[in-house]
Amino acid sequence: AIFSMHDLPRICYNATTDDTLWKMMSWTKYWEKLTWILPIHCPSPCGHWVMCTINIVSQHLLLFNSFAEERPWKQEIWVRSF
């Protein structure tokens, strides 16, 4: 499943309802997919994109950041176990 960043700002600022979000995403049937691809926009300081690949079965996240060597990223990642 490939997620769009189109609705995430609206979610962040409570500018959309759950019903509207469901209408925009339900056609993807993401809950049936074993791998999710999530593009993430990092607005500051230079504004670029990173990609997170999520493996549902193994519960692994793989993050690709082309600026990782130039700008440390570990402080941006919060890990939470369930």
Side-chain angles (χ1 to χ4, degrees):
I2 301 176
F3 290 94
S4 169
M5 290 294 292
H6 175 75
D7 289 310
L8 291 182
R10 296 190 320 180
I11 294 166
C12 183
Y13 296 107
N14 293 323
T16 190
T17 65
D18 289 347
D19 290 338
T20 302
L21 183 60
W22 180 247
K23 286 178 191 175
M24 297 296 289
M25 296 186 67
S26 64
W27 67 271
T28 66
K29 296 188 180 182
Y30 67 89
W31 58 92
E32 295 178 358
K33 310 300 192 258
L34 300 179
T35 303
W36 298 354
I37 298 173
L38 178 64
I40 303 167
H41 184 250
C42 299
S44 62
C46 60
H48 74 284
W49 290 85
V50 299
M51 182 187 73
C52 183
T53 301
I54 305 155
N55 185 305
I56 302 302
V57 176
S58 69
Q59 298 182 354
H60 284 114
L61 303 175
L62 300 174
L63 185 69
F64 174 76
N65 181 349
S66 61
F67 289 167
E69 293 293 322
E70 297 175 22
R71 187 173 151 245
W73 54 269
K74 289 186 179 185
Q75 70 276 7
E76 297 177 0
I77 305 296
W78 296 278
V79 177
R80 185 168 128 186
S81 298
F82 294 97

